[in-house]
Amino acid sequence: MQWRALGPLGLGLLASACSVPYVIVERCDESLSLCDGACVDLHSEPDHCGECGQACVDGLECVRGRCINECELRAERCDGGCVDLASSPFHCGACDRACASSQICRDGTCVDDPCEGRCEPFTETCDGQTCVCRRGMQQCGTECIDPLTDPRNCGECGTECPLCGRAECRIDCMGFPDQCIDSCTDVSSDPSNCGTCGMRCAADSVCLRGQCVRTEPNGCDTCPCEACDLFELECIDPFPYGVPLCA
């Protein structure tokens, strides 16, 4: 048998015959982005964090499109989530230190609660000696609910839905970053599902970039706010808390 060299055309045909078929990706679902021919989630992909080609260096993880060193700001990682040890009644000053039911966590120390433990720690705060719903929640019967995501009280008390997102009944969670059981949400800002489904922030904290952080009223109507800048704190947009806050 006589062998002869294959020209460019012959090599191309041979490579085509031996190669595995592949599909070139041209578009992605709404929640994903096209980077280097692949559909990726810019919220969590460490090689494309926030934008295509922006990779997190060693030791950092991609959380909500930002490269962070696990928990940032004043938060610590406890029970798989980031919590503020200064205010969490179940992680007060340390991950394994919980306050008694008659106490609250203030500056990392368990102190006597003026409402004597009557307030639900995640949905109510103590105003004088009265329990009131935390910012962003409203009273429905004896409970404080989040009308934005509560499938039993979606938008208003008593409105039941298979899925609830942005206070509206939905058939799916298309267009939302996350779904937590029957709630369409964003775990980067949901105080009932902060960072991961089921991680709840203490009532005097907010969920900031997937981390529970204690806040203070800033007296401002909009962000940016000089009061926050004065204490080197971040001004938090009113949604979903009703008023701007410093964290």
Side-chain angles (χ1 to χ4, degrees):
M1 179 182 290
Q2 185 176 3
W3 297 90
R4 64 176 182 171
L6 291 173
L9 177 60
L11 289 172
L13 291 173
L14 180 60
S16 177
C18 297
S19 64
V20 177
Y22 64 92
V23 177
I24 298 176
V25 177
E26 296 182 349
R27 58 180 302 177
C28 303
D29 293 337
E30 289 185 8
S31 60
L32 302 177
S33 301
L34 182 62
C35 295
D36 295 337
C39 292
V40 300
D41 185 350
L42 297 180
H43 290 83
S44 58
E45 173 55 54
D47 292 329
H48 305 282
C49 189
E51 62 182 71
C52 291
Q54 180 169 286
C56 296
V57 300
D58 291 343
L60 299 184
E61 59 182 271
C62 184
V63 177
R64 296 296 140 203
R66 298 177 65 252
C67 295
I68 66 172
N69 184 12
E70 292 190 346
C71 297
E72 57 178 12
L73 301 174
R74 299 188 297 274
E76 297 288 341
R77 187 170 293 280
C78 300
D79 293 339
C82 293
V83 300
D84 186 355
L85 300 184
S87 63
S88 174
F90 293 98
H91 311 284
C92 189
C95 285
D96 58 354
R97 186 182 302 153
C99 297
S101 59
S102 60
Q103 295 180 313
I104 58 175
C105 183
R106 182 174 296 160
D107 297 328
T109 302
C110 294
V111 298
D112 290 337
D113 180 5
C115 287
E116 299 178 345
R118 297 189 306 272
C119 301
E120 206 285 330
F122 299 106
T123 62
E124 297 178 325
T125 58
C126 185
D127 183 8
Q129 294 183 337
T130 304
C131 297
V132 297
C133 294
R134 66 177 296 163
R135 292 185 182 93
M137 291 192 171
Q138 70 180 52
Q139 191 84 31
C140 282
T142 60
E143 292 183 285
C144 291
I145 60 93
D146 185 350
L148 295 174
T149 58
D150 189 336
R152 299 175 302 152
N153 304 278
C154 190
E156 60 182 1
C157 297
T159 299
E160 295 193 29
C161 307
L163 289 170
C164 181
R166 298 194 188 103
E168 296 180 352
C169 292
R170 301 180 182 273
I171 58 174
D172 58 44
C173 288
M174 182 70 69
F176 289 82
D178 306 289
Q179 178 176 344
C180 292
I181 308 178
D182 40 17
S183 298
C184 300
T185 187
D186 183 346
V187 298
S188 69
S189 60
D190 184 353
S192 298
N193 301 282
C194 189
T196 186
C197 292
M199 176 58 69
R200 306 167 72 192
C201 296
D204 61 351
S205 300
V206 297
C207 184
L208 176 62
R209 294 194 293 271
Q211 301 181 26
C212 294
V213 180
R214 191 177 61 170
T215 63
E216 298 291 342
N218 61 26
C220 297
D221 295 324
T222 60
C223 294
C225 174
E226 291 184 3
C228 298
D229 296 340
L230 180 63
F231 296 100
E232 298 183 348
L233 298 174
E234 183 170 349
C235 186
I236 309 302
D237 185 88
F239 180 84
Y241 305 104
V243 294
L245 300 169
C246 294

